[in-house]
Amino acid sequence: MPVLKDLLGAIGNGVEIVDLTAPLSAGTPVLRLPEPFANTISFRLEEISRYDEPGPFWYWNNIHTGEHTGTHVDAPRHWASGRDGHDVSELPLRTLVAPAAVLDASDRVAQNPDFLLEIADVRAWEAANGALPDGGWLLYRTGWDERSGDEERFLNADDSGPHTPGVSAECARWLAEETGLVGLGVETVGTDAGGAGGFDPPFPCHHYFLGAGKCGLTQLQNLAALPPTGAVLLVSPLPIVGGSGSPARVLALVET
Ligand code: MN
C-alpha cells in the first residue's frame, strides 16, 4: 500500500516522531489523595535475575505499578459516571490513533498555577485554528511538564491542597458533551485541576469525559514540539482486561 510506504519514507524526511511520554521509574510522581482515601503505589522494579545464579544468561524484572502511574490512560470505567463504559482493554483503536489539537495556556499558567481553561479560551483557539477535530484529542499544554522530574514541584501542594492547572466544570462539560473529541490529554498528574475536588461536580473532567465514554491522558511532555493542529497521536495502553487505565507510551507524528 503506497500510503504506508510513503509514510515510512517521510519519517525523518518531513515527518518527525515526538515522544510525549514521561520516563517510568521509582521516582515518577504519583497522585497523593488525602485521608481517608486509598492511594496507588509508586512504580517499582523487582529484579528476577541479572546474568547471575537465578538466570545466568538473562536480565529481567517484575514490575509493580498502579494503573494510573506516570503517563497513562484513564478509561471510561475509571469513574463512577462511566462505570458501564469501556475498560482499558476495550478502547476503540481509532481512539488510540487519532488527530490531536494542541491548546497552549502555558503563559497564563505561569502567572497562576490554579488557572482553569474556559469555553471562551477554546472558542478563541477554534477561531485561530478551526474546529476541534471530530474523533480527536484535545492536548492541553500548560508548561507543567517542566516540573515532572520533581514530585514536590509537580504536585505543588500546600496546606490548602494541590495547586495545578485544569479545566472549569462548565468547560469540561461542554468539551465532553458538545464536541466530537474522544479524549483530553494533560501535562499534570490527572486530567482535573489540583483544586477540582471542591468543584461542582467534583473532578469535572473525570465526571464528564469518562461519563461520555471518552478518555483521559495524563503527564504528557514535549507538547511544545507539536503544532496546534495536524499532529497524529499514537497511544498505547496495555490491554489490561477489566482495567480502569494503564501506563502508556504516547507518540505523535508531526510534519516538519
Ligand atoms: Mn488516571
Side-chain angles (χ1 to χ4, degrees):
M1 187 171 172
V3 172
L4 290 177
K5 189 178 177 192
D6 290 350
L7 172 62
L8 290 171
I11 292 171
N13 185 27
V15 173
E16 183 186 355
I17 304 171
V18 179
D19 194 347
L20 306 181
T21 321
L24 194 52
S25 76
T28 295
V30 295
L31 187 68
R32 305 289 183 195
L33 294 173
E35 293 282 343
F37 304 115
N39 272 294
T40 187
I41 60 170
S42 290
F43 183 87
R44 180 168 63 86
L45 289 179
E46 177 194 11
E47 188 177 292
I48 306 170
S49 72
R50 191 165 190 147
Y51 331 117
D52 49 15
E53 191 179 352
F57 305 125
W58 53 90
Y59 167 55
W60 58 341
N61 300 291
N62 293 316
I63 58 174
H64 296 256
T65 186
E67 294 170 327
H68 298 256
T69 300
T71 303
H72 72 269
V73 173
D74 290 349
R77 197 173 295 183
H78 177 44
W79 214 250
S81 57
R83 68 176 69 209
D84 297 323
H86 286 138
D87 73 39
V88 73
S89 74
E90 298 169 332
L91 300 180
L93 297 183
R94 284 303 303 269
T95 292
L96 303 182
V97 179
V102 182
L103 189 157
D104 184 357
S106 55
D107 55 344
R108 283 166 289 173
V109 173
Q111 306 301 317
N112 173 19
D114 294 304
F115 175 79
L116 299 178
L117 192 72
E118 298 289 352
I119 294 173
D121 299 312
V122 184
R123 289 298 197 196
W125 183 95
E126 287 188 312
N129 298 290
L132 291 171
D134 277 338
W137 291 76
L138 177 62
L139 304 182
Y140 176 29
R141 171 158 166 71
T142 55
W144 214 257
D145 60 336
E146 178 269 325
R147 299 170 177 247
S148 69
D150 179 332
E151 180 168 281
E152 189 174 339
R153 290 187 67 236
F154 190 66
L155 300 180
N156 201 38
D158 62 17
D159 292 344
S160 62
H163 295 276
T164 60
V167 179
S168 76
E170 181 186 26
C171 186
R173 190 204 62 75
W174 178 75
L175 287 170
E177 297 185 353
E178 296 189 33
T179 77
L181 293 174
V182 296
L184 171 68
V186 301
E187 297 172 337
T188 42
V189 77
T191 54
D192 271 298
F199 293 4
D200 180 20
F203 307 104
C205 288
H206 287 81
H207 177 83
Y208 289 119
F209 271 88
L210 304 181
K214 301 179 175 186
C215 292
L217 188 52
T218 73
Q219 206 174 332
L220 299 171
Q221 58 184 32
N222 297 327
L223 293 183
L226 271 52
T229 65
V232 175
L233 195 66
L234 309 169
V235 187
S236 60
L238 299 174
I240 301 167
V241 176
S244 73
S246 169
R249 192 71 181 257
V250 183
L251 306 174
L253 299 178
V254 177
E255 289 185 27
T256 55

